[in-house]
Amino acid sequence: MKKVTKAVIPAAGLGTRFLPATKALPKEMLPVVDTPTIQYIVDEAQKSGIEDIVIVIGKGKRSIEDHFDSNVMLEDNLEKKGKLELLDSIKKTNNMNIYFIRQSYPRGLGDAVLTARSFIGDEPFVVMLGDDLMKSKVPLTKQLMDSYEKTGNSTLSVMRVPHDDTSKYGVIDPESKIDEGLYNVNSFVEKPNPDDAPSDLAIIGRYLLTPEIFDILKKTKPGKGNEIQLTDAINTLNQTQRVSAYEFTGNRYDTGNKLSWLETNIEFGLNRPSIKEELKQYIKDLANSFDN
Ligand code: UTP
């Protein structure tokens, strides 16, 4: 079985749920406390043992490339001023094995993954959505890689969501339990009406896929929203190769929508020692002022 060493991070979407902020700024660059979302995702890839990362970008996404490049003027300035901690923080992202591909038009997540075909070649790989943060002791990507080593199956990560929220996600129709938290899947349903949802297990932003997905993606016609849906291609893959679903039990933060992005900032802020106490006090005072 080939080892998983590569990751694709699609980041070429329009981010319409976050307008007007995303008119000129990629949503993947929106900070959580002081770090762009996409950097947390790159960190997760590296902590999971991924060696090469390709980020799919598009029009207006230049700042993502710049973020993972060096900035000599800024580095000199911080060095001269003796701001060594900040210097380390910006140099951290200079020498990662990150490549960039352009998706010429945002035709959907499936199409974004397809642009990475030559980079991936004939190997299993992971897809990590550029706006979906995961927090757990063992990174979710690593958990998927470990599961793949046991089963050899393409594996999607899923999470239990409130039943009424199923219409916001791709949802799985589980067939049987293979192991604790690991399912065989009958089908994947894109954004079902809660009345028709086959389960409460929603697909979240980490996928481990075998390279056979590329031939299928090439033939996949636009589906919901007139976009080439990765879920549609995975459904087709599941007809010929077993696709499993792995239940994630850590925390997930969708930074692509306004409310969740704000919540994420508050939670991550409360975990950041340098601002934690003041932020906690601010939230308490604010809540009291609303009570009165
Ligand atoms: P989303 O559906 O969350 O992103 O796709 P979006 O289309 O940018 O968001 P809204 O709905 O308009 O607010 C998940 C990930 O896939 C990427 C996005 O950048 C995001 O990180 N994506 C989506 C692409 O790279 N290309 C696409 O054509 C669509």
Side-chain angles (χ1 to χ4, degrees):
M1 193 193 299
K2 284 188 182 156
K3 233 182 113 197
V4 178
T5 63
K6 294 177 183 166
V8 180
I9 304 180
L14 295 177
T16 50
R17 281 168 298 159
F18 225 123
L19 282 168
T22 46
K23 187 178 172 193
L25 178 76
K27 71 169 164 182
E28 296 79 8
M29 286 299 290
L30 289 168
V32 172
V33 186
D34 54 5
T35 302
T37 305
I38 197 160
Q39 190 179 325
Y40 289 95
I41 291 160
V42 166
D43 283 347
E44 180 188 329
Q46 295 194 318
K47 282 190 191 125
S48 302
I50 292 293
E51 292 164 17
D52 295 302
I53 297 168
V54 67
I55 301 179
V56 184
I57 53 168
K59 197 170 158 44
K61 303 275 184 166
R62 225 24 208 282
S63 57
I64 300 180
E65 281 184 276
D66 288 342
H67 184 73
F68 292 102
D69 194 0
S70 56
N71 182 337
V72 179
M73 212 168 74
L74 185 59
E75 284 168 24
D76 282 352
N77 183 290
L78 293 173
E79 196 161 4
K80 277 193 198 117
K81 289 185 178 151
K83 298 188 170 171
L84 301 184
E85 236 176 81
L86 286 177
L87 180 64
D88 279 350
S89 79
I90 66 155
K91 280 175 106 174
K92 214 175 118 184
T93 47
N94 285 1
N95 295 314
M96 295 174 164
N97 273 342
I98 298 180
Y99 304 82
F100 293 90
I101 305 185
R102 286 183 84 96
Q103 183 189 21
S104 54
Y105 187 82
R107 285 185 207 90
L109 178 59
D111 181 68
V113 172
L114 185 57
T115 62
R117 182 176 199 162
S118 327
F119 177 85
I120 299 295
D122 191 25
E123 293 172 28
F125 64 104
V126 288
V127 175
M128 308 174 75
L129 297 193
D131 59 351
D132 224 1
L133 287 190
M134 308 293 170
K135 203 152 90 179
S136 52
K137 240 190 205 148
V138 176
L140 174 54
T141 297
K142 174 82 170 66
Q143 295 182 36
L144 285 181
M145 288 160 71
D146 290 345
S147 174
Y148 173 77
E149 283 201 0
K150 286 186 213 142
T151 63
N153 297 348
S154 287
T155 308
L156 310 193
S157 49
V158 294
M159 200 168 182
R160 278 198 195 277
V161 296
H163 193 70
D164 282 344
D165 285 351
T166 46
S167 59
K168 298 182 195 153
Y169 296 92
V171 170
I172 64 162
D173 177 6
E175 182 190 294
S176 54
K177 222 174 190 176
I178 314 172
D179 206 345
E180 197 44 48
L182 192 64
Y183 303 86
N184 283 329
V185 177
N186 273 325
S187 64
F188 303 87
V189 189
E190 192 57 33
K191 304 196 168 85
N193 198 306
D195 291 340
D196 307 324
S199 75
D200 294 341
L201 290 166
I203 302 171
I204 54 171
R206 301 290 181 270
Y207 309 69
L208 194 153
L209 297 168
T210 53
E212 284 74 20
I213 195 76
F214 291 120
D215 273 341
I216 297 171
L217 277 171
K218 218 164 168 217
K219 290 185 209 138
T220 302
K221 299 258 170 339
K224 266 219 165 128
N226 206 26
E227 294 192 338
I228 297 177
Q229 297 286 353
L230 183 60
T231 325
D232 290 345
I234 290 170
N235 249 327
T236 310
L237 181 68
N238 195 32
Q239 319 287 314
T240 51
Q241 268 187 14
R242 188 43 89 187
V243 178
S244 307
Y246 178 81
E247 188 177 342
F248 180 53
T249 52
N251 293 330
R252 168 191 179 246
Y253 308 85
D254 174 10
T255 62
N257 84 63
K258 292 168 218 184
L259 177 62
S260 175
W261 177 79
L262 275 170
E263 290 168 352
T264 309
N265 267 286
I266 293 169
E267 196 174 318
F268 278 54
L270 288 171
N271 277 308
R272 189 66 71 86
S274 60
I275 56 171
K276 180 180 165 168
E277 290 310 324
E278 278 174 86
L279 181 61
K280 209 166 32 176
Q281 195 55 50
Y282 168 75
I283 293 169
K284 276 188 196 156
D285 292 347
L286 192 65
N288 284 337
S289 76
F290 274 90
D291 282 346
N292 297 330

